[in-house]
Amino acid sequence: MSENTMKIAVLAGDGIGPEVMAEALKVLSVAEQKFSVKFNFDAKDVGGAAIDNHGEALPKSTVAACEAADAILFGSVGGPKWANLPAQEQPERCALLGLRGHFDLFSNLRPARIYPGLEALSPLREDIAKSGFDTLVVRELTSGIYFGQPKGRSGEGEETYGFDTMRYSKKEIRRIAKIAFEAALKRGSKVHSIDKANVLQTSVLWREVVEEVAKDYPSVSLEHMYIDNAAMQLIRYPNQFDVMLCSNLMGDIISDECAMITGSMGLLPSASINEAGFGMYEPAGGSAPDIAGKGIANPIAQILSASMMLRFSFNRGDIADAIEKAVVQTLNDGYLTGELLAPEKQDQAKTTSQVGDYIANLLSAS
Amino acid sequence: MSENTMKIAVLAGDGIGPEVMAEALKVLSVAEQKFSVKFNFDAKDVGGAAIDNHGEALPKSTVAACEAADAILFGSVGGPKWANLPAQEQPERCALLGLRGHFDLFSNLRPARIYPGLEALSPLREDIAKSGFDTLVVRELTSGIYFGQPKGRSGEGEETYGFDTMRYSKKEIRRIAKIAFEAALKRGSKVHSIDKANVLQTSVLWREVVEEVAKDYPSVSLEHMYIDNAAMQLIRYPNQFDVMLCSNLMGDIISDECAMITGSMGLLPSASINEAGFGMYEPAGGSAPDIAGKGIANPIAQILSASMMLRFSFNRGDIADAIEKAVVQTLNDGYLTGELLAPEKQDQAKTTSQVGDYIANLLSAS
Ligand SMILES: [Mg+2]
Ligand SMILES: [Mg+2]
């Protein structure tokens, strides 16, 4: 990318994707004015929409646009219309796994936060929720026990056994650890590395390499924590965590637990990043076909995905901070879509575009 | 055991072990009267106490007493006095792993419960804590990825990799599943089997065998749940769970999460059981050397361990129910040791023997 021009492949996809993407682009347009930058948006079909228009969920033209871009802003894919296709043609599998594989997006970044004013949505006790929770799970996504070989079944009769291999190389551990420490520099300068080094050899190596990487980040504090302890600590002392560095399986568990702790999973963005810093940014939730087209979907996860993109792929923490400040203000003002409101307050629910406008205006006025 | 005589090896151990064990035996003595049964207690040294008196943490005489008994009631072992011994002579490792191995105690049963009146101790939101939580984690303890072979390190330079093998045979899955379904018959008749069958071959086999075992228990409902989803659901909808059937790694995580959800980990008993139904029963907490000898330790986990023993090894759910009812009443009456009381209420704290007496009296009067 040139200094102030950022090329973004915009893949809105299916369900609520296009509606919430429109609000993210609205906010980015305001940021363009405000920060004197230029976004070049290249919108392409993906998922079910791409199956309908091009016969496949991830057309070559979409991949080519992503290759030509500096980052991918992704909406969501899938829906009942394509649910009966063979597994390997499904929008989710085809588009998401396809893009991850093509760009080697080995790291998954999942922030989770209890927003001021939304503490009551958290399933945690009031005093604990109010003590604060603002964490980023950095999960390795392409190795570990989900992919390790050999994996299968052997033996006969009652001695038949299933087996899976957990496996990590130094190289794999080092690159995900670097992502975590880099992210910590942009946040609270603290990394908790999650493992089970008292019983797993993979974790022993994990710990060694993470210690090595930590030496390059003297301003970031490092603590090792066993996965079972982390799963407990998150419930009782959630505010101790900043960045949580996890292997694939452990990150799968921890990131979902973190999301649940916020009580507002529809607000959460996510990112998948490769070694070159190229990334795909998308809401952690799905395409929500049940509410698509009604103008009631919450656009905040998509807007925060755009803000993550600015922070992580474009190193523009200043713009990201401004957008996030507007989002925090919006939530704190109680300017909310229906799913964040109690049943008796549904008459106060704002629409998708109202929330997008509100955030865009706050950003503009900031 | 003969019909009404139950032979119990009593291994009080170190730290608070002897103090809390005394209260458990007090309660069992009342039960003897009340239910016209006979307990034969055979007290033996274990852990640090056995190192001091016999030169090893698990003397042959102790093992022999356990072999001659119908069940083992265990206290706790370890403390600073023996902390500098070589790893393989440590009280915990030597005594606990020794007994587990000798008797093939492959299943770990960890109940967790939010008691009426103690909801405020739970880190969960008040309405969620009050909705109830009463679960039993059945964890496989001797196989899975902590023990599977091969396990180690290979390769060179940055390609050096660590590896561990998750492995379960049909036989291993079947025997732990049976324990879970049998336990469900004694509780809420519901089993959640926790796995990750969408990515792990071990879990695919796990699911198949659990389905087979379920056919023998038509009155027990079975639901499969992915580990990441279970870790979330426990925080938001904890009252949906009764028995949670878990592999070794997954049970390690889930049982600790369940314990934390109660907010009163000092109240939790546990059991380790073999295929013949022979078991060892002990508090889930440790020997707490910092408060040992002061008469302030909570005896309830030890008393509930005795009640679990009656339910699981002696099939005397009637006596177990009566003891647990007395414990629930005690907690609900606010007759509590200090660690369950807020700082400003410490003057109301009851001693170890006062709590034991109170429970014994309630049982006697019931
Ligand atoms: Mg997950
Ligand atoms: Mg554990």
Side-chain angles (χ1 to χ4, degrees):
Chain A
M1 61 189 154
S2 75
E3 179 74 21
N4 286 318
T5 300
M6 305 163 196
K7 202 162 179 201
I8 301 166
V10 176
L11 279 47
D14 309 317
I16 60 169
E19 299 162 58
V20 296
M21 185 65 83
E23 303 310 314
L25 299 186
K26 189 188 281 177
V27 171
L28 284 175
S29 295
V30 171
E32 255 184 329
Q33 310 287 322
K34 201 155 175 80
F35 290 87
S36 303
V37 291
K38 178 83 191 109
F39 299 121
N40 274 341
F41 298 125
D42 190 8
K44 292 288 172 193
D45 284 335
V46 75
I51 294 175
D52 292 353
N53 296 336
H54 310 268
E56 51 181 337
L58 186 61
K60 286 199 179 58
S61 54
T62 297
V63 175
C66 293
E67 282 177 339
D70 300 312
I72 305 169
L73 189 59
F74 194 94
S76 52
V77 292
K81 185 175 176 190
W82 310 281
N84 294 321
L85 290 174
Q88 66 279 14
E89 293 176 29
Q90 290 276 334
E92 293 87 342
R93 176 184 288 232
C94 215
L96 284 171
L97 293 194
L99 285 167
R100 273 188 202 147
H102 186 83
F103 291 102
D104 194 19
L105 304 171
F106 68 92
S107 71
N108 190 215
L109 277 62
R110 294 258 307 260
R113 183 170 172 187
I114 296 179
Y115 284 95
L118 296 188
E119 293 89 350
L121 294 175
S122 169
L124 298 188
R125 206 171 64 203
E126 193 182 358
D127 60 311
I128 300 175
K130 288 207 165 147
S131 75
F133 180 56
D134 186 354
T135 187
L136 175 73
V137 177
V138 175
R139 170 185 172 195
E140 201 288 329
L141 206 58
T142 57
S143 183
I145 196 168
Y146 293 172
F147 297 98
Q149 292 296 335
K151 173 189 276 296
R153 190 181 289 202
S154 193
E156 298 224 331
E158 278 299 282
E159 299 300 337
T160 302
Y161 60 94
F163 54 97
D164 297 274
T165 303
M166 183 179 276
R167 186 187 150 131
Y168 270 106
S169 71
K170 281 193 174 187
K171 193 164 77 177
E172 288 170 331
I173 299 166
R174 197 177 308 278
R175 66 180 191 169
I176 190 73
K178 276 185 188 168
I179 299 268
F181 281 90
E182 287 292 331
L185 285 179
K186 299 179 174 184
R187 296 175 41 98
S189 296
K190 198 158 61 166
V191 169
H192 277 85
S193 176
I194 310 304
D195 67 34
K196 191 71 185 175
N198 52 342
V199 279
L200 299 180
Q201 285 301 312
T202 323
S203 288
V204 173
L205 185 64
W206 181 276
R207 223 170 241 229
E208 282 176 29
V209 176
V210 170
E211 295 272 4
E212 283 173 25
V213 173
K215 289 195 186 115
D216 294 332
Y217 299 87
S219 67
V220 176
S221 78
L222 168 66
E223 201 172 308
H224 302 284
M225 191 178 271
Y226 294 146
I227 172 73
D228 48 335
N229 190 24
M232 298 171 76
Q233 296 284 328
L234 271 170
I235 302 174
R236 183 62 190 84
Y237 306 102
N239 69 0
Q240 74 186 287
F241 297 105
D242 176 26
V243 172
M244 302 182 79
L245 166 59
C246 301
S247 62
N248 201 342
L249 167 66
M250 296 181 191
D252 194 2
I253 297 167
I254 292 293
S255 64
D256 281 340
E257 196 179 335
C258 286
M260 182 58 97
I261 282 172
T262 69
S264 50
M265 300 165 71
L267 296 180
L268 305 179
S270 77
S272 303
I273 296 178
N274 70 17
E275 244 174 311
F278 181 83
M280 172 163 77
Y281 300 84
E282 57 177 320
S287 63
D290 52 318
I291 59 161
K294 297 183 179 170
I296 59 172
N298 193 328
I300 288 181
Q302 190 73 61
I303 292 168
L304 290 175
S305 298
S307 134
M308 276 191 94
M309 173 182 75
L310 289 164
R311 192 183 302 281
F312 287 96
S313 276
F314 298 133
N315 211 21
R316 288 304 299 259
D318 56 335
I319 314 182
D321 283 346
I323 294 174
E324 285 168 25
K325 207 177 147 202
V327 167
V328 168
Q329 180 72 53
T330 301
L331 295 170
N332 206 25
D333 287 350
Y335 203 91
L336 308 170
T337 44
E339 93 284 2
L340 295 176
L341 290 164
E344 69 275 14
K345 292 192 175 171
Q346 287 301 316
D347 57 327
Q348 297 167 31
K350 300 299 181 286
T351 67
T352 306
S353 66
Q354 280 179 319
V355 171
D357 286 341
Y358 198 85
I359 293 169
N361 288 337
L362 283 173
L363 178 64
S364 175
S366 68
Chain B
M1 64 190 152
S2 77
E3 180 74 20
N4 287 319
T5 300
M6 306 163 197
K7 201 158 178 205
I8 302 166
V10 176
L11 278 47
D14 311 316
I16 60 169
E19 300 163 56
V20 297
M21 184 64 85
E23 304 309 314
L25 299 186
K26 189 187 281 176
V27 170
L28 285 174
S29 296
V30 171
E32 255 184 328
Q33 309 288 322
K34 199 155 175 81
F35 290 88
S36 304
V37 291
K38 179 83 190 109
F39 299 121
N40 276 340
F41 298 127
D42 191 7
K44 291 288 172 193
D45 284 334
V46 75
I51 293 175
D52 291 353
N53 296 336
H54 311 268
E56 51 181 337
L58 186 61
K60 287 199 178 58
S61 53
T62 298
V63 175
C66 293
E67 282 178 339
D70 301 312
I72 305 168
L73 189 58
F74 195 95
S76 51
V77 292
K81 185 174 176 189
W82 311 281
N84 293 322
L85 289 174
Q88 65 279 13
E89 292 175 31
Q90 290 278 333
E92 294 87 342
R93 177 183 288 232
C94 216
L96 284 171
L97 293 193
L99 285 167
R100 273 189 202 146
H102 186 85
F103 291 103
D104 194 19
L105 305 172
F106 68 93
S107 71
N108 190 216
L109 277 62
R110 294 259 306 261
R113 182 171 172 187
I114 297 179
Y115 284 95
L118 295 188
E119 292 90 350
L121 294 176
S122 168
L124 299 187
R125 207 170 65 203
E126 193 182 356
D127 60 310
I128 300 175
K130 288 208 163 145
S131 75
F133 180 56
D134 187 354
T135 188
L136 175 74
V137 177
V138 175
R139 170 186 172 194
E140 202 287 328
L141 207 56
T142 58
S143 184
I145 195 166
Y146 293 171
F147 298 97
Q149 292 296 334
K151 173 188 279 292
R153 190 181 291 202
S154 193
E156 298 225 331
E158 277 301 281
E159 299 300 336
T160 303
Y161 59 94
F163 54 97
D164 297 276
T165 303
M166 182 178 277
R167 187 187 148 132
Y168 272 106
S169 71
K170 280 192 175 188
K171 194 165 77 177
E172 289 169 330
I173 300 166
R174 197 178 307 281
R175 66 180 191 169
I176 190 72
K178 276 184 186 166
I179 299 267
F181 281 90
E182 287 294 332
L185 285 179
K186 298 179 175 184
R187 295 176 40 99
S189 296
K190 197 156 63 163
V191 170
H192 278 85
S193 176
I194 310 303
D195 66 35
K196 191 70 185 177
N198 52 341
V199 279
L200 299 179
Q201 285 300 313
T202 323
S203 288
V204 172
L205 184 65
W206 180 277
R207 221 171 243 230
E208 282 176 29
V209 176
V210 170
E211 295 273 4
E212 283 173 25
V213 173
K215 291 196 184 112
D216 294 333
Y217 299 86
S219 67
V220 176
S221 79
L222 168 65
E223 201 172 311
H224 303 284
M225 192 178 271
Y226 294 144
I227 172 72
D228 49 335
N229 190 25
M232 298 171 77
Q233 296 285 326
L234 270 170
I235 302 174
R236 183 62 190 85
Y237 306 102
N239 69 359
Q240 73 187 289
F241 298 105
D242 176 26
V243 173
M244 301 181 80
L245 166 60
C246 302
S247 61
N248 201 343
L249 167 65
M250 296 181 191
D252 193 3
I253 298 167
I254 292 292
S255 64
D256 281 339
E257 196 180 335
C258 286
M260 182 57 98
I261 282 172
T262 69
S264 49
M265 299 165 69
L267 296 178
L268 305 178
S270 76
S272 303
I273 296 178
N274 70 16
E275 245 175 310
F278 181 83
M280 172 164 77
Y281 300 84
E282 57 178 319
S287 63
D290 52 318
I291 60 162
K294 298 185 179 170
I296 59 172
N298 194 328
I300 288 182
Q302 191 72 61
I303 292 168
L304 290 175
S305 299
S307 134
M308 272 192 97
M309 174 184 74
L310 290 164
R311 192 183 301 281
F312 287 97
S313 274
F314 298 134
N315 211 21
R316 288 302 299 257
D318 57 335
I319 313 182
D321 284 345
I323 294 174
E324 287 169 24
K325 207 176 147 203
V327 167
V328 168
Q329 181 72 52
T330 301
L331 295 170
N332 206 24
D333 287 350
Y335 202 91
L336 308 171
T337 44
E339 94 284 2
L340 295 176
L341 290 164
E344 70 274 14
K345 292 192 175 170
Q346 287 302 318
D347 57 325
Q348 298 168 30
K350 302 297 182 287
T351 67
T352 307
S353 66
Q354 281 178 318
V355 171
D357 286 342
Y358 197 86
I359 293 170
N361 288 336
L362 282 173
L363 178 64
S364 175
S366 68

